[in-house]
């Protein structure tokens, strides 16, 4: 559909913001349910994260065979992945293939940034305004804006005075960036940097890696997928997909399901070694049942990886600098190809910017606090995102009685099950705060969220009701979320999971720590209990019953035994 056609479209049932995994599936589901739908996307094509993050080495950290849609048989049969962990170009081709196959692009307008959306209490519709001033209204609004789509402000003064080139991993240009023979600085050592650094180092004359906090990283053991592996997956695909939906991370693997103490040090390290050789970060951090809850148990995994770092980096000072001191997986575990070995190259230097913080950028490079200047021709910002709430808070979202989302979330992102916010009727956030999305195979979470949204919309249409949650339901969900989060090591460490990477952001554990399977069970319970929490009704019995069916009063899952077995 052309942009002009949309401008004259009088009534739209559903507006979807974003054209990544979430937006594409939401538009598909809207059409299937018979709604008129419009998608708005600021990028010039579909793909979301995989459209924007074109930096060298970008690839997924969940195996391609599972990091993909499961809702359509033909897509799964026709698309053939070439690598264990698909690269950004392949993922972008995949999402483009899906868009073509389902003819989704005709429902989208690209290069349209939604800047404002205001609830009209009389018309009971959302008025959505884009950056070109064009307004549309819709009965339902689905914010598929992504949890890692708003690059955080870098906060480096004087970068505009720098004479060289500046790149951000998440807004990487379309052309082939050539660092051959150049002096380059990479700022950051999170997942994006860990993937980019080895490849930038191969070409650059000199590479400075500016590290504030080291990351734990596992070797991806990436390789081409063999025909027989693909055929074997295809033969069991239905069962794998069905199991993954009930696993904590939305990925189908089996672990011991037992605490570390049940194993001798030799047995324990042999199990870590097995997963290390396999290249499976989610599995590694789940090798034992208490790695996320016990600092003592976690220390065994930390020590295992620290030893691996020391095996590669024989300089003890450098090895120590590269070894994190926070619990493994309290920040996102990285997946790499040759990351630690890259520091053995003569053209690579680790610069500790905790010791010597970046003072400012100057014409010829980056000045550090001790007055030294890193003389570089290019700066790569691998500095991360205003995660989970950033993309939403950047839009002027105004609900009932003039409630502004950014203000309402100033102290914490109040919401119900990561999908609804009190005072914002008929508005849905996909993998919003307090959903398990960020800690999972996101595609599994996205499909579940969007399926639930459309189950809810069918009910709303049938019953002629507005979908709206209450502050009481939000509080109940927040209490449950806190109970679970406070049992984990996530809350002990600064990370984007707790908003600590963005100055001034409230420190709140943003994802839901109960796992994908348990979350799904609770959501199913809410639906069974008459869409409890999805109506402007302060009766919490349905919400509490759905939670109590899955967790006991201490926050222990009643389904823990099913999480680790096939
Ligand atoms: P996105 O893909 O982020 O799409 C959101 C879209 O909304 C974007 O295209 C954006 O331009 C658009 N948008 C935002 N605001 C507006 C606005 N105001 N107006 C118009 N459009 C707007 N997850 C995993 O499970 N496994 C992985 O291996 C994995 N790897 C990742 C690698 C990188 C480099 C990054 C950054 C994230 C990765 N993730 C991974 C998480 C990733 O966010 C999800 O897997 C998934 O791609 C999210 O899809 P989405 O459609 O919800 O969001
Ligand atoms: P990130 O994990 O938040 O890492 C940002 C890095 O930049 C950190 O090392 C941070 O240091 C540093 N930094 C930020 N501002 C800085 C400053 N002013 N000075 C010095 N250092 C600064 O961001 P990311 O690497 O882009 O990854 C974000 C998330 O995206 C990941 O956690 C993951 O979920 C996803 N992702 C996945 C993959 C994958 O493997 N599939 C790849 C890329 C991204 P501090 O920690 O000290 O703040």
């Amino acid at each position: 559909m052309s942009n002009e056609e949309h401008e004259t479209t009088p009534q739209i049932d559903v507006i979807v913001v974003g054209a990544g995994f979430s937006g594409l599936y939401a538009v598909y589901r809207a059409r299937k349910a018979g709604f008129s739908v419009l998608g708005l996307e600021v990028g010039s094509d579909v793909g979301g994260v995989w459209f924007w993050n074109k930096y060298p080495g970008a690839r997924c950290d969940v195996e391609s065979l599972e990091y993909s849609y499961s809702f359509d048989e033909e897509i799964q049969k026709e698309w053939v992945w070439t690598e264990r962990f698909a690269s950004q170009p392949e993922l972008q081709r995949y999402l483009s293939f899906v868009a073509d196959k389902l003819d989704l692009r005709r429902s989208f307008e690209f290069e349209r940034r939604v800047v404002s959306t205001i609830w009209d209490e009389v018309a009971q519709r959302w008025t959505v305004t884009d950056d070109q001033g064009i307004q549309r209204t819709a009965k339902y609004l689905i914010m598929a804006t992504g949890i890692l789509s708003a690059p955080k402000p870098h906060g480096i003064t004087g970068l505009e005075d720098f004479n060289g080139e500046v790149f951000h991993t998440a807004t990487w240009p379309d052309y082939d960036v050539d660092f051959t023979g150049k002096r380059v600085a990479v700022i950051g050592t999170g997942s994006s940097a860990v993937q980019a650094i080895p490849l930038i180092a191969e070409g650059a004359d000199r590479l400075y890696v500016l590290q504030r906090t080291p990351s734990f990283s596992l070797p991806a053991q990436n390789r081409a997928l063999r025909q027989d592996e693909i055929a074997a997956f295809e033969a069991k695909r239905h069962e794998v997909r069905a199991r993954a939906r009930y696993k904590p991370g939305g990925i189908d693997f089996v672990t011991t399901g037992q605490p570390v103490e049940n194993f001798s040090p030799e047995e324990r390290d042999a199990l870590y070694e097995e997963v290390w050789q396999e290249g499976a970060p989610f599995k590694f951090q789940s090798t034992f049942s208490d790695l996320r809850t016990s600092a003592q148990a976690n220390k065994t995994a930390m020590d295992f990886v620290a030893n691996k770092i020391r095996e590669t980096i024989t300089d003890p000072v450098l090895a120590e600098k590269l070894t994190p001191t926070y619990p493994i997986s309290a920040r996102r575990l990285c997946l790499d190809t040759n990351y630690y070995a890259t520091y053995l190259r003569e053209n690579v230097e680790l610069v500790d910017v905790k010791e010597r913080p970046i003072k400012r950028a100057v014409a010829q490079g980056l000045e550090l606090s001790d007055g030294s200047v890193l003389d570089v021709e290019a700066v790569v910002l691998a500095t991360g995102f205003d995660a989970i709430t950033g993309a939403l808070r950047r839009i002027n979202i105004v609900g009932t009685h003039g409630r502004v989302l950014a203000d309402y979330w100033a102290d914490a992102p109040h919401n119900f099950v990561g999908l609804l916010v009190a005072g914002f009727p008929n508005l849905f956030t996909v993998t919003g705060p307090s959903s398990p999305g960020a800690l999972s195979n996101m595609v599994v979470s996205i499909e579940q969220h969007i399926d639930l949204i459309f189950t809810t919309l069918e009910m709303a249409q049938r019953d002629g009701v507005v979908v709206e949650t209450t502050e009481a339901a939000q509080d109940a969900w927040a209490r449950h979320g806190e109970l679970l989060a406070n049992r984990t090591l996530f809350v002990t460490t600064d990370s984007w999971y707790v908003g600590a990477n963005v100055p001034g952001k409230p420190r709140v554990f943003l994802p839901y720590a109960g796992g994908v399977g348990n979350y799904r069970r609770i959501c199913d319970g809410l639906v069974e209990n008459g869409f409890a929490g999805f109506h402007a009704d302060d009766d919490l019995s349905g919400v509490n019953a759905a939670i109590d069916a899955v967790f006991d009063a201490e926050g222990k899952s009643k389904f823990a035994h099913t999480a680790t077995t096939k």
Side-chain angles (χ1 to χ4, degrees):
M1 198 186 281
S2 71
N3 290 349
E4 289 69 35
E5 273 176 85
H6 284 308
E7 280 154 32
T8 55
T9 303
Q11 292 285 306
I12 304 167
D13 296 324
V14 181
I15 287 181
V16 173
V17 188
F21 268 106
S22 301
L24 291 176
Y25 185 46
V27 163
Y28 168 78
R29 282 299 309 259
R31 276 206 215 147
K32 212 166 159 246
F35 290 113
S36 60
V37 58
L38 166 66
L40 295 170
E41 163 60 54
V42 65
S44 60
D45 200 359
V46 300
V49 150
W50 304 107
F51 169 87
W52 293 107
N53 291 263
K54 299 185 175 104
Y55 63 83
R59 57 178 72 247
C60 53
D61 61 4
V62 173
E63 287 186 61
S64 324
L65 291 167
E66 291 197 57
Y67 184 65
S68 47
Y69 289 123
S70 70
F71 70 86
D72 186 279
E73 269 301 297
E74 281 188 25
I75 287 171
Q76 292 180 92
K77 283 194 174 129
E78 281 176 36
W79 183 263
V80 180
W81 293 105
T82 66
E83 291 181 273
R84 272 191 82 209
F85 296 102
S87 65
Q88 174 275 327
E90 186 169 11
L91 284 153
Q92 174 63 10
R93 279 199 301 279
Y94 168 74
L95 287 162
S96 187
F97 161 81
V98 172
D100 287 343
K101 175 94 191 156
L102 303 174
D103 189 20
L104 298 176
R105 279 191 183 85
R106 75 177 160 85
S107 293
F108 277 95
E109 285 185 21
F110 296 99
E111 299 181 4
R112 303 281 200 201
R113 178 181 291 282
V114 170
V115 293
S116 154
T117 170
I118 298 173
W119 176 247
D120 179 336
E121 302 201 24
V122 177
Q124 303 263 287
R125 294 175 71 81
W126 285 97
T127 302
V128 178
T129 308
D130 71 22
D131 52 355
Q132 293 168 41
I134 298 169
Q135 292 194 332
R136 291 94 172 178
T137 74
K139 190 167 178 185
Y140 303 113
L141 186 55
I142 300 180
M143 305 305 287
T145 44
I147 64 163
L148 294 161
S149 59
K152 73 161 195 165
H154 55 72
I156 298 166
T157 48
L159 207 49
E160 60 289 352
D161 301 328
F162 173 53
N163 279 341
E165 293 177 290
V166 179
F167 302 96
H168 192 294
T169 49
T171 50
W172 204 261
D174 271 329
Y175 58 86
D176 237 346
V177 179
D178 186 5
F179 291 116
T180 310
K182 294 212 169 128
R183 295 183 310 282
V184 184
V186 172
I187 304 179
T189 47
S191 300
S192 303
V194 159
Q195 291 184 327
I197 284 165
L199 292 169
I200 296 175
E202 279 177 18
D205 173 55
R206 183 127 207 96
L207 172 62
Y208 298 101
V209 177
L210 280 66
Q211 172 186 276
R212 200 160 58 184
T213 312
S215 287
F216 282 113
S217 188
L218 257 59
Q221 317 288 13
N222 188 36
R223 55 176 169 72
L225 280 170
R226 297 186 313 268
Q227 277 307 317
D228 61 306
E229 287 175 296
I230 294 170
F233 180 80
E234 191 53 27
K236 59 179 183 178
R237 174 166 54 79
H238 288 284
E239 298 93 273
V240 170
R241 297 292 204 182
R243 281 194 299 262
R245 293 187 184 111
Y246 286 91
K247 295 284 171 139
I251 308 174
D252 183 41
F253 57 76
V254 181
T255 64
T256 63
Q258 296 179 51
V260 176
E261 65 183 17
N262 288 5
F263 298 83
S264 70
E266 294 72 27
E267 288 169 331
R268 180 193 72 204
D269 284 354
L271 284 162
Y272 285 139
E273 182 67 30
E274 204 179 291
V275 191
W276 178 273
Q277 293 305 334
E278 186 183 334
F282 280 82
K283 192 170 172 181
F284 187 86
Q285 63 203 20
S286 312
T287 310
F288 303 104
S289 59
D290 50 354
L291 292 187
R292 282 189 167 174
T293 49
S294 153
Q296 207 183 340
N298 193 288
K299 182 79 171 46
T300 65
M302 293 172 67
D303 289 347
F304 178 86
V305 178
N307 280 334
K308 289 287 186 187
I309 296 172
R310 281 192 290 268
E311 277 172 21
T312 305
I313 308 290
T314 47
D315 170 354
V317 177
L318 182 58
E320 196 183 337
K321 280 193 187 300
L322 287 167
T323 305
T325 51
Y326 53 82
I328 208 160
S329 91
R331 291 160 68 103
R332 179 81 169 201
L333 189 52
C334 302
L335 196 65
D336 74 271
T337 301
N338 294 332
Y339 176 62
Y340 294 115
T342 297
Y343 292 97
L344 302 175
R345 296 177 67 105
E346 293 210 330
N347 66 333
V348 176
E349 187 180 325
L350 185 74
V351 181
D352 183 341
V353 290
K354 197 155 232 165
E355 227 168 64
R356 293 186 290 160
I358 303 166
K359 191 171 164 198
R360 58 181 174 156
V362 291
Q364 74 274 32
L366 296 168
E367 185 181 335
L368 305 183
S369 62
D370 62 357
S372 59
V373 173
L374 302 176
D375 182 0
V376 290
E377 294 151 286
V379 169
V380 174
L381 299 163
T383 43
F385 302 87
D386 183 351
I388 302 184
T389 52
L392 293 164
R393 290 195 66 194
R394 286 176 192 185
I395 302 169
N396 178 40
I397 305 179
V398 185
T400 50
H401 310 296
R403 177 174 280 180
V404 177
L405 186 83
D407 298 341
Y408 185 50
W409 280 5
D411 62 334
H414 312 285
N415 74 87
F416 183 61
V417 297
L419 283 175
L420 300 175
V421 187
F424 299 86
N426 287 357
L427 180 145
F428 300 86
T429 55
V430 183
T431 65
S434 87
S435 105
L439 302 178
S440 73
N441 174 356
M442 285 279 291
V443 188
V444 172
S445 289
I446 286 166
E447 287 189 341
Q448 186 263 347
H449 281 55
I450 290 168
D451 288 343
L452 177 56
I453 290 170
F454 281 94
T455 304
T456 307
L457 292 190
E458 277 159 26
M459 173 279 292
Q461 291 288 97
R462 188 192 61 224
D463 298 354
V465 293
V466 164
V467 181
E468 188 173 3
T469 196
T470 61
E471 300 206 336
Q474 291 182 161
D475 290 346
W477 186 245
R479 277 194 302 277
H480 168 62
E482 271 169 44
L483 175 72
L484 301 186
N486 290 338
R487 288 166 49 89
T488 72
L489 299 169
F490 290 123
V491 292
T492 63
T493 306
D494 283 351
S495 71
W496 62 259
Y497 293 155
V498 297
N501 65 327
V502 177
K505 195 164 170 170
R507 193 186 174 100
V508 176
F509 181 67
L510 292 164
Y512 173 71
V516 165
N518 289 325
Y519 173 85
R520 180 183 298 270
R521 291 181 182 101
I522 292 174
C523 290
D524 290 349
L526 295 171
V527 172
E528 277 161 28
N529 298 343
F531 288 88
F534 288 66
H535 293 294
D537 171 358
D538 276 336
D539 176 9
L540 285 181
S541 56
V543 171
N544 290 332
I547 296 172
D548 293 346
V550 182
F551 285 93
D552 70 16
E554 270 111 52
K556 287 203 188 112
S557 168
K558 297 176 180 172
F559 295 85
H561 62 285
T562 59
T564 47
T565 51
K566 288 243 173 183

